[in-house]
Amino acid sequence: MSARILLVDDERDLRETVAYALRREGFDVRTAADGQAALDTARAAAFEVVILDVMMPVLSGLEVCRTLRAESDVPIIMLTARDAEVDRVLGLELGADDYIGKPFSTPELVSRIRAVLRRRELDRVSMAATTIEVGGVHVDLTRHVVTVDGAPVRVTPSEFKVLAFLGSEPGRVFSRSQIMEHLWDATFVGDARACDVHISSLRRKIERDPAHPGRIVTVRGVGYKLAG
């Protein structure tokens, strides 16, 4: 069965061109032209990936991303202006899994979609491990639940995978590229700053004092580690 994709963009020509190209790649594509239509469509049927433009009428892509992430863990790829760093950062903080800058090529978008789908499948089959416990941070790999000092903490699917990766070898320093390659299960060729966004968001959720992190520790010039 082909993966079902929801493509949301208010530019009709782009929407129709990209939808046609994705269908030629074997995907089952539904489209929406504004934020409210996107939410209605996403709630009416199950999708494997949502491709979501930031700038849209009725509801912005960021608002749609926030709402979808509160209701579902469906992977979300944001479409942003090439130079709109603020939108990219906000999208990731709200739970988007990746972003791609406009203009983009169809092969680039297809590659991102397939990476998301591979990652999703690997997540499903890698749940044989049980739990990770590091310095008050408890990660239940079977139920996808994180607790910190006994209290549940809500994390996005991407944040969960980053935290589980760091927790797989507590004290080991992982580079930003290693973290992102694990996140995508592929050689990472995007912006490594996306890693920093995930780390920053995780720190706000699991650190006693995010301004002075003691759990996810930066090793200057190398990367990050999860400390006990």
Side-chain angles (χ1 to χ4, degrees), residues 105-124:
S105 67
T106 298
E108 181 182 10
L109 179 59
V110 169
S111 176
R112 300 292 184 92
I113 293 169
R114 287 180 174 155
V116 165
L117 293 172
R118 282 197 306 272
R119 169 183 158 200
R120 188 78 159 179
E121 184 59 28
L122 284 170
D123 285 346
R124 290 193 183 105

Side-chain angles (χ1 to χ4, degrees), residues 74-131:
V74 62
I76 299 171
I77 300 174
M78 302 293 297
L79 304 180
T80 72
R82 186 66 73 174
D83 58 350
E85 183 173 356
V86 171
D87 287 340
R88 296 196 296 269
V89 171
L90 282 175
L92 291 172
E93 288 183 337
L94 291 172
D97 296 86
D98 195 14
Y99 60 81
I100 187 169
K102 290 182 175 181
F104 55 84
S105 67
T106 298
E108 181 182 10
L109 179 59
V110 169
S111 176
R112 300 292 184 92
I113 293 169
R114 287 180 174 155
V116 165
L117 293 172
R118 282 197 306 272
R119 169 183 158 200
R120 188 78 159 179
E121 184 59 28
L122 284 170
D123 285 346
R124 290 193 183 105
V125 301
S126 65
M127 291 295 102
T130 53
T131 61

Side-chain angles (χ1 to χ4, degrees), residues 3 38 68 123 127-128 135 141 155 166 171 187 199 202:
L68 282 180
D123 285 346
M127 291 295 102
L141 299 173
V155 297
L166 293 175
T187 300
I199 294 295
L202 272 171

Side-chain angles (χ1 to χ4, degrees), residues 56-197:
M56 289 189 301
V58 187
L59 291 174
S60 74
L62 294 174
E63 292 175 290
V64 174
C65 180
R66 179 189 293 109
T67 302
L68 282 180
R69 186 51 72 235
E71 300 175 356
S72 167
D73 64 354
V74 62
I76 299 171
I77 300 174
M78 302 293 297
L79 304 180
T80 72
R82 186 66 73 174
D83 58 350
E85 183 173 356
V86 171
D87 287 340
R88 296 196 296 269
V89 171
L90 282 175
L92 291 172
E93 288 183 337
L94 291 172
D97 296 86
D98 195 14
Y99 60 81
I100 187 169
K102 290 182 175 181
F104 55 84
S105 67
T106 298
E108 181 182 10
L109 179 59
V110 169
S111 176
R112 300 292 184 92
I113 293 169
R114 287 180 174 155
V116 165
L117 293 172
R118 282 197 306 272
R119 169 183 158 200
R120 188 78 159 179
E121 184 59 28
L122 284 170
D123 285 346
R124 290 193 183 105
V125 301
S126 65
M127 291 295 102
T130 53
T131 61
I132 293 170
E133 183 85 38
V134 183
V137 178
H138 182 89
V139 183
D140 187 324
L141 299 173
T142 302
R143 297 187 298 135
H144 265 227
V145 172
V146 176
T147 59
V148 178
D149 297 329
V153 174
R154 186 180 182 90
V155 297
T156 68
S158 295
E159 291 166 355
F160 184 91
K161 191 160 187 178
V162 169
L163 184 59
F165 183 54
L166 293 175
S168 66
E169 296 187 59
R172 175 182 169 181
V173 182
F174 293 95
S175 70
R176 295 154 88 204
S177 294
Q178 286 175 316
I179 293 169
M180 296 307 292
E181 285 175 10
H182 174 78
L183 189 59
W184 291 113
D185 185 43
T187 300
F188 182 69
V189 295
D191 188 344
R193 287 175 295 180
C195 176
D196 299 333
V197 173

